[in-house]
């Protein structure tokens, strides 16, 4: 009996020693992590240090109006500023700006060289993108793979709220200018590496040397990245509406990204595209439905050493329900109609 009591006492003593050692290890690790995090977040707490570090890493100039940078009990850096601007070093050309910025950055991922956003909110966002005649974008030289920027950007389940945004895309190759003015951009789920859930609406203005066209749009999109090889849409949601399209404005890009055999594309119309994984009456396991309303549609395709013309006068509509499998597009349903013609096709 006395021997058993001694063994129990010995076992308890060993247990306490192990717990004490573990406590000391975790305490030391905690202190080291605290000191390490302190060294990491200190450049973020000083706006001038933040400007200098960003300039050394990317070459961009950072401008902050009335910045306020604090830490919170939720282990986040809270960054607020009346106006934030990223300026190119030559002539201070504006690359990116936001007003009334309210951003939260998680502190712990900073120890692993990651800037992970927990929240991004602003009242006004501007982004200026230019593609020069060689095909290079203006931001590429600042955010290239061998950049000296010591952190990787990430956004896991970060809500994004932007009241208004303006995106300018100047394409010097085709002498086109696209201006996107949008409102109420809301993203309840946003992860740069896996998914995005975005709702917004606005107008796209496309202009060239000849004319300018304004097209209203609305998006309600949930995408999952990376796209799997079968493009299985069961985890996706898409409701996209584009009105008052001028097809001739897209002809250079259709030729650039599909085939150069398309020599001309004309007409006007509207596009509605939907993917609804909850639709029980769908004709396939992952349907993409597109409804295209057209007026005076015309296309010229160069084949067999001569131009082939397709002209559809007046109003017409094309509805397609399709699915994707590897490198194939499977058409489940196709309907083409105009006042004197009605064509329907089914199958794959």
């Amino acid at each position: 009996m006395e021997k058993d009591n001694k063994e129990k006492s010995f076992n308890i003593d060993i247990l306490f020693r192990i717990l004490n050692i573990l406590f000391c290890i975790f305490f030391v690790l905690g202190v080291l992590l605290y000191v390490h995090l302190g060294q990491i977040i200190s450049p973020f707490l000083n706006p001038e240090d933040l400007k200098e570090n960003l300039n050394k890493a990317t070459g961009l100039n950072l401008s902050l109006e009335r910045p306020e940078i604090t830490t919170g009990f939720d282990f986040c850096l809270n960054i607020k500023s009346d106006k934030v601007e990223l300026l190119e070093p030559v002539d201070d050309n504006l690359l990116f700006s936001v007003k009334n910025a309210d951003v939260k950055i998680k502190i712990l991922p900073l120890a692993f060289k990651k800037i992970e956003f927990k929240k991004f909110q602003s009242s006004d966002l501007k982004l200026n993108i230019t593609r020069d005649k060689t095909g290079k974008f203006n931001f590429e030289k600042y955010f290239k793979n061998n950049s000296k920027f010591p952190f990787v950007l990430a956004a896991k389940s970060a809500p994004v709220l932007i009241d208004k945004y303006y995106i300018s895309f100047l394409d010097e190759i085709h002498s086109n200018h696209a201006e996107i003015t949008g409102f109420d951009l809301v993203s309840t789920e946003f992860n740069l590496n896996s998914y995005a859930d975005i709702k917004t609406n606005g107008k796209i203005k496309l202009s060239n040397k000849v004319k300018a066209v304004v097209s209203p749009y609305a998006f309600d999109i949930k995408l999952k990245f990376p796209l799997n090889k079968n493009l299985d849409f069961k985890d996706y949601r898409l409701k996209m509406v584009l009105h008052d399209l001028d097809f001739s404005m897209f002809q250079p890009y259709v030729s650039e990204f599909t085939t150069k055999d398309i020599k001309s594309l004309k007409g006007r119309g509207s596009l509605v595209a939907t993917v609804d994984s909850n639709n029980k009456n769908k004709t396939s396991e992952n349907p993409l439905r597109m409804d295209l309303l057209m007026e005076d549609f015309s296309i010229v395709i160069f084949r067999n050493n001569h131009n082939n013309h397709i002209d559809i006068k007046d109003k017409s509509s094309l509805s397609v329900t399709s699915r994707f499998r590897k490198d194939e597009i499977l058409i489940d349903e196709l309907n083409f109609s105009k006042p004197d013609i009605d064509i329907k096709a089914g199958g794959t």
Side-chain angles (χ1 to χ4, degrees):
M1 186 71 176
E2 184 177 349
K3 183 179 180 181
D4 292 340
N5 290 335
K6 287 183 178 180
E7 288 181 356
K8 289 181 180 179
S9 177
F10 178 73
N11 291 335
I12 292 173
D13 185 53
I14 292 176
L15 178 61
F16 274 114
R17 288 185 181 182
I18 293 173
L19 291 175
N20 190 37
I21 291 171
L22 290 175
F23 174 78
C24 292
I25 291 173
F26 283 116
F27 179 77
V28 172
L29 289 175
V31 171
L32 292 174
L33 180 62
Y34 177 80
V35 173
H36 183 50
L37 284 177
Q39 293 174 343
I40 291 175
I41 67 174
S42 59
F44 290 89
L45 295 176
N46 187 329
E48 294 304 319
D49 290 343
L50 189 59
K51 293 178 184 180
E52 183 180 351
N53 291 331
L54 184 65
N55 181 262
K56 287 181 178 179
T58 65
L60 292 169
N61 297 323
L62 175 64
S63 173
L64 299 171
E65 288 188 9
R66 296 180 60 190
E68 180 183 332
I69 306 174
T70 59
T71 56
F73 292 106
D74 55 354
F75 294 98
C76 286
L77 280 173
N78 304 309
I79 303 175
K80 295 183 179 181
S81 179
D82 289 352
K83 190 174 184 180
V84 179
E85 291 182 332
L86 282 179
L87 305 169
E88 296 189 77
V90 180
D91 299 329
D92 277 345
N93 292 325
L94 179 66
L95 183 65
F96 170 85
S97 74
V98 291
K99 292 181 180 178
N100 301 318
D102 185 357
V103 180
K104 281 181 176 287
I105 297 176
K106 297 178 182 179
I107 292 178
L108 190 58
L110 293 175
F112 304 98
K113 302 297 182 180
K114 288 185 179 181
I115 296 180
E116 191 170 302
F117 295 96
K118 189 177 181 180
K119 173 187 176 184
F120 185 96
Q121 183 174 353
S122 77
S123 61
D124 199 348
L125 180 147
K126 290 184 180 180
L127 179 63
N128 292 319
I129 302 173
T130 301
R131 184 170 72 156
D132 63 25
K133 293 183 179 180
T134 66
K136 293 184 178 180
F137 294 94
N138 57 335
F139 57 82
E140 286 186 63
K141 53 189 172 184
Y142 306 114
F143 299 100
K144 48 192 176 183
N145 292 332
N146 59 351
S147 170
K148 297 178 181 178
F149 193 62
F151 293 93
V152 175
L153 296 177
K156 293 183 178 180
S157 302
V160 178
L161 305 170
I162 301 173
D163 293 344
K164 181 182 177 181
Y165 56 92
Y166 171 82
I167 300 173
S168 171
F169 172 53
L170 182 61
D171 187 2
E172 295 180 357
I173 292 179
H174 300 301
S175 299
N176 286 341
H177 187 200
E179 297 174 277
I180 303 174
T181 303
F183 307 92
D184 302 324
L185 190 151
V186 178
S187 175
T188 53
E189 296 179 276
F190 186 77
N191 188 333
L192 293 173
N193 300 315
S194 61
Y195 54 80
D197 192 332
I198 301 172
K199 296 180 182 179
T200 186
N201 63 87
K203 294 180 180 180
I204 302 175
K205 181 181 178 181
L206 299 174
S207 57
N208 54 28
K209 294 179 180 179
V210 179
K211 57 184 173 180
V213 180
V214 178
S215 303
Y217 68 86
F219 296 111
D220 182 357
I221 303 172
K222 183 175 183 180
L223 299 176
K224 188 175 182 180
F225 302 107
L227 298 175
N228 61 59
K229 64 180 181 180
N230 292 327
L231 285 177
D232 188 354
F233 290 141
K234 65 182 181 180
D235 296 321
Y236 294 34
R237 184 185 73 250
L238 170 65
K239 294 179 181 178
M240 179 179 71
V241 179
L242 281 165
H243 291 298
D244 302 330
L245 297 172
D246 186 329
F247 301 138
S248 66
M249 305 296 287
F250 298 94
Q251 189 270 331
Y253 302 102
V254 173
S255 298
E256 181 181 351
F257 295 107
T258 58
T259 172
K260 296 186 182 300
D261 293 337
I262 298 177
K263 302 302 180 181
S264 174
L265 182 64
K266 296 180 181 179
R268 299 183 67 89
S270 298
L271 174 66
V272 178
T274 58
V275 173
D276 187 357
S277 60
N278 297 319
N279 182 9
K280 295 181 180 180
N281 298 319
K282 57 192 176 184
T283 57
S284 68
E285 67 272 19
N286 46 8
L288 168 63
R289 180 177 175 85
M290 294 187 292
D291 297 292
L292 182 62
L293 302 178
M294 301 175 287
E295 185 172 358
D296 296 329
F297 177 79
S298 172
I299 186 171
V300 177
I301 304 174
F302 185 80
R303 287 285 171 85
N304 300 322
N305 295 321
H306 67 276
N307 289 328
N308 299 273
H309 298 260
I310 299 175
D311 295 304
I312 305 173
K313 298 296 183 181
D314 302 322
K315 293 182 178 180
S316 60
S317 65
L318 177 66
S319 299
V320 180
T321 301
S322 60
R323 53 197 164 99
F324 298 81
R325 182 176 298 164
K326 294 184 179 178
D327 298 326
E328 297 178 316
I329 300 177
L330 307 179
I331 306 298
D332 290 317
E333 240 179 60
L334 186 148
N335 297 324
F336 174 79
S337 64
K338 57 177 302 190
D340 54 342
I341 298 176
D342 191 7
I343 301 173
K344 293 184 179 180
T348 57

